[in-house]
Amino acid sequence: GVRPPLVAPEVEGAAPERRRELQERRLRRLVDRLLAAGGVQAGRLRDCGVGRGADVSLDDLHRLPFSSRQDFWDHYPFGLRSAAAEDVVCVHGSSGTQGRQTLVAYTAHDVDVWTRVMARALGGAGVTRRSFVHCAYGYGMFTGGLGVHHGATRLGATVLPVSSGATDRQLRLLLDLRPDVLCCTPSYAVYLGEAFASTGITAEQLSLRVGVFGAEPWTEEMRQGVERLLGLRALNIYGLTEIIGPGVACESLDSGGLLNIAEDHFFPEVVGPDGQPLADGQPGELVFTTLTKTGTPLLRYRTGDVAALHGPASGSARTLRRMSRVLGRTDDMLIIRGVNVFPSEVEAVLLADPRVSPHYLIVEDRRDRSRPELRIAVEPRDPHGDVEGLERDLTVALHARLGLGCIVRVLPPDHIPRSETGKARRLVRWDYGV
Ligand code: ADP
Ligand code: K
């Protein structure tokens, strides 16, 4: 396989013990910074007996207080800011998938950290100053577009800030400018790939070598579909606005299918529903501590995203710890008749069947409180295929994997809404009286 050189070898390839020393120094500095700023996180630290950074260590990080999205909402707009207002250079916001706007203030130092971790992430995908990056993540308060932009520019690559939407123009630019790198959400990658296929353009006619896709959950099955459609290697990138944006963790061409975490800046933990840390390999809620941010630093921020931690790939030059792909958000976990289901598990079953196109919709139907149902709509690849046979087979496969009887409907092609901008909405909730 290809092994792209490390962009920051002194960090990405550091000995784990040296990295831990650095993380601990940074943790202490963070605690001092939070205490000096006052505010809700300082109050919680004092409540658990911490009066200065020297009082804490990485080994007892799990005793320190969490922070959460609710803190952003309770102290909206900038109550979690630690820097002076004049030191803030930009503000980004989460896309509001969970309902309310979350605003995050960045200092110039934070933008530099973001730029570095994104340069490392793109470098791991083989991006160099000779690369041409078609950046179809949205530009704006959403961190996707500008995050890639900062990192690609730092590497000296050429970046086309095409942003999301206006697909016809995107298709033309992809053909005319022949970029080797595509950055967007996986659902938009599917959208672009299918749009090409419908005009008779094959993956071989495209110039793309690698795609860096993220901002929403996707499965291994989806990865294979995207790789086939666009003729590229599809890599997974993860991040969230509150922590920095994309670049918190990223797969590289040689990271063994997991995502290396930029843990020199964002210290990871995974906790169970009771808030207790879980061992490597066990999926739970991801928690990050921003070790270096100065604008909106966060201690033990509960992301609501479910994944597992792992050590570095054996024999790899990259010594950073890794995480699995995100299985889903804790808020998106469905509990249907006592069975816990993540939408991504449904996706894995659906897309494992070659007759199913990568467009689907999951409906959590609670109109009948005594018998909630999971309804699943899919589209077939072949509009003339056997609909009843496919519905029957998918129902059996879902039952085998989830232990749950679902109601599957195969709709005619183009009946499921496409995501042309940003994140796909694949989960709908029907409740009584709605
Ligand atoms: P919002 O919570 O409004 O979507 P962001 O735009 O900051 O806010 O998006 C961050 C969230 O997107 C993460 O918390 C996670 O749920 C999701 N996400 C980002 N990258 C990935 C990825 N590679 N796989 C799965 N989910 C992802
Ligand atoms: K300023």
Side-chain angles (χ1 to χ4, degrees):
V2 184
R3 289 177 177 265
L6 309 186
V7 169
E10 70 293 354
V11 183
E12 295 175 275
E17 323 77 69
R18 300 302 308 277
R19 178 175 300 122
R20 201 167 164 88
E21 288 164 20
L22 174 76
Q23 289 167 325
E24 189 149 87
R25 273 200 309 279
R26 288 180 168 176
L27 173 66
R28 291 180 170 150
R29 229 179 289 150
L30 164 71
V31 166
D32 282 330
R33 197 177 303 126
L34 290 172
L35 287 165
V40 59
Q41 295 191 90
R44 287 185 196 138
L45 279 167
R46 291 212 177 82
D47 288 348
C48 64
V50 176
R52 56 197 185 119
D55 295 341
V56 307
S57 71
L58 274 182
D59 285 337
D60 51 32
L61 181 61
H62 64 277
R63 297 209 196 96
L64 298 184
F66 288 116
S67 53
S68 71
R69 196 162 285 126
Q70 188 68 42
D71 293 329
F72 278 92
W73 297 338
D74 290 347
H75 304 278
Y76 178 88
F78 295 123
L80 295 182
R81 192 182 66 206
S82 286
E86 62 267 32
D87 288 331
V88 171
V89 299
C90 65
V91 173
H92 282 278
S94 75
S95 18
T97 308
Q98 304 308 328
R100 292 167 65 180
Q101 179 78 69
T102 303
L103 295 178
V104 183
Y106 294 59
T107 61
H109 172 266
D110 298 339
V111 174
D112 185 58
V113 167
W114 192 18
T115 303
R116 286 163 191 255
V117 296
M118 278 306 301
R120 276 151 55 173
L122 293 170
V127 176
T128 68
R129 56 195 311 277
R130 284 177 293 282
S131 305
F132 196 109
V133 180
H134 183 102
C135 181
Y137 283 111
Y139 278 66
M141 284 173 61
F142 171 58
T143 48
L146 280 164
V148 168
H149 197 101
H150 291 319
T153 309
R154 176 70 54 97
L155 289 173
T158 307
V159 53
L160 184 74
V162 64
S163 196
S164 55
T167 301
D168 286 345
R169 188 177 59 145
Q170 303 227 10
L171 299 180
R172 201 182 61 244
L173 289 165
L174 283 161
L175 291 171
D176 291 349
L177 304 183
R178 303 201 59 74
D180 49 338
V181 185
L182 172 64
C183 298
C184 60
T185 60
S187 50
Y188 194 58
V190 168
Y191 192 90
L192 287 171
E194 292 194 335
F196 273 125
S198 73
T199 61
I201 291 166
T202 64
E204 294 71 50
Q205 290 169 274
L206 298 175
S207 51
L208 297 168
R209 177 184 59 77
V210 67
V212 181
F213 303 132
E216 62 184 4
W218 52 311
T219 57
E220 197 53 45
E221 288 74 13
M222 180 72 88
R223 187 210 300 269
Q224 288 164 20
V226 174
E227 291 188 334
R228 244 189 340 262
L229 263 173
L230 291 168
L232 43 65
R233 268 289 297 277
L235 300 178
N236 194 354
I237 185 163
Y238 168 81
L240 63 166
T241 313
E242 297 92 313
I243 298 303
I244 200 80
V248 173
C250 190
E251 264 186 280
S252 69
L253 291 172
D254 58 348
S255 64
L258 300 176
L259 295 82
N260 282 118
I261 302 167
E263 54 163 326
D264 51 322
H265 295 289
F266 315 114
F267 189 87
E269 297 171 87
V270 163
V271 302
D274 58 359
Q276 289 307 308
L278 297 175
D280 276 10
Q282 292 199 39
E285 183 177 358
L286 277 169
V287 172
F288 286 102
T289 295
T290 66
L291 296 175
T292 51
K293 272 210 311 185
T294 56
T296 314
L298 294 169
L299 186 65
R300 305 193 77 208
Y301 184 73
R302 297 187 75 140
T303 63
D305 294 324
V306 176
L309 294 178
H310 295 269
S314 68
S316 169
R318 291 168 214 278
T319 56
L320 294 163
R321 282 160 63 68
R322 296 176 299 165
M323 59 180 252
S324 69
R325 62 174 59 251
V326 171
L327 304 175
R329 302 188 189 225
T330 48
D331 315 35
D332 284 348
M333 193 177 75
L334 306 166
I335 306 178
I336 306 287
R337 305 196 297 274
V339 179
N340 296 1
V341 184
F342 275 116
S344 64
E345 296 178 276
V346 175
E347 176 179 303
V349 174
L350 299 179
L351 301 192
D353 190 312
R355 293 169 293 178
V356 177
S357 87
H359 301 288
Y360 65 92
L361 193 66
I362 301 173
V363 180
E364 179 191 17
D365 181 359
R366 294 193 179 278
R367 289 171 304 172
D368 178 353
R369 281 280 155 86
S370 65
R371 192 178 161 83
E373 294 285 1
L374 204 58
R375 298 176 181 274
I376 293 159
V378 300
E379 286 180 15
R381 285 187 186 283
D382 173 6
H384 310 296
D386 169 15
V387 166
E388 278 164 31
L390 182 53
E391 286 177 349
R392 198 175 47 239
D393 293 349
L394 290 176
T395 308
V396 170
L398 285 162
H399 192 270
R401 165 85 180 250
L402 310 176
L404 180 72
C406 303
I407 300 171
V408 180
R409 285 291 168 268
V410 175
L411 302 181
D414 288 327
H415 272 58
I416 292 172
R418 305 300 199 248
S419 103
E420 205 194 332
T421 52
K423 311 189 187 213
R425 292 210 181 265
R426 295 204 171 94
L427 179 61
V428 174
R429 291 188 155 115
W430 291 349
D431 215 332
Y432 186 76
V434 174

